[in-house]
Amino acid sequence: MKARVKWAEARTFVGTSGTGHNIVLGTSHGGGGTPGPSPMELMLLGAAGCSAYDVVSILEKSRQNFQDVQVEVDADRADTDPKVFTRIHMHFIIKGRGVSDDKVERAISLSVDKYCSASAMLAATATVTHDFEVIEAE
């Protein structure tokens, strides 16, 4: 796997994945808005995306009638450099008809504890927790 990050200006960078996808990232410099997500925000998005991907796949295999999967992530970082993540909580929201709580709990546990390499790496410095809610669709 390869990637490249190129400085654009100020604190703005363009990342290019090995598959050719681009993303603007950066932080504010001297006030003002940010040009895109920060590298640390991208790490949280990566963990949430990795887990969401697993959960969708597992729920499909278990023939659950879901329509939507969302992951809300909340995290804390250390106060001192390198300011690693110390706590990460993922809240999964599954919407569907007749979706089994047990199947959702199993899917999330398999993802977070076994399959998702992103959350496994972050768990080296952070306590990673999760919970979920199932919303019955009309």
Side-chain angles (χ1 to χ4, degrees), residues 7-91:
W7 175 58
E9 63 181 357
R11 296 299 183 266
T12 303
F13 301 84
V14 176
T16 304
S17 68
T19 54
H21 298 280
N22 294 315
I23 187 166
V24 174
L25 60 142
T27 59
S28 63
H29 181 67
T34 62
S38 73
M40 294 301 282
E41 288 172 322
L42 285 174
M43 292 181 76
L44 286 180
L45 288 170
C50 178
S51 232
Y53 179 93
D54 292 339
V55 168
V56 164
S57 178
I58 295 165
L59 290 178
E60 285 174 341
K61 289 175 185 168
S62 63
R63 298 185 177 157
Q64 294 300 293
N65 186 16
F66 64 95
Q67 301 163 351
D68 191 37
V69 174
Q70 296 181 46
V71 185
E72 296 175 349
V73 185
D74 183 54
D76 293 326
R77 293 176 64 189
D79 292 330
T80 58
D81 288 330
K83 297 184 183 172
V84 297
F85 287 114
T86 56
R87 182 195 63 85
I88 298 171
H89 181 75
M90 293 190 271
H91 177 70

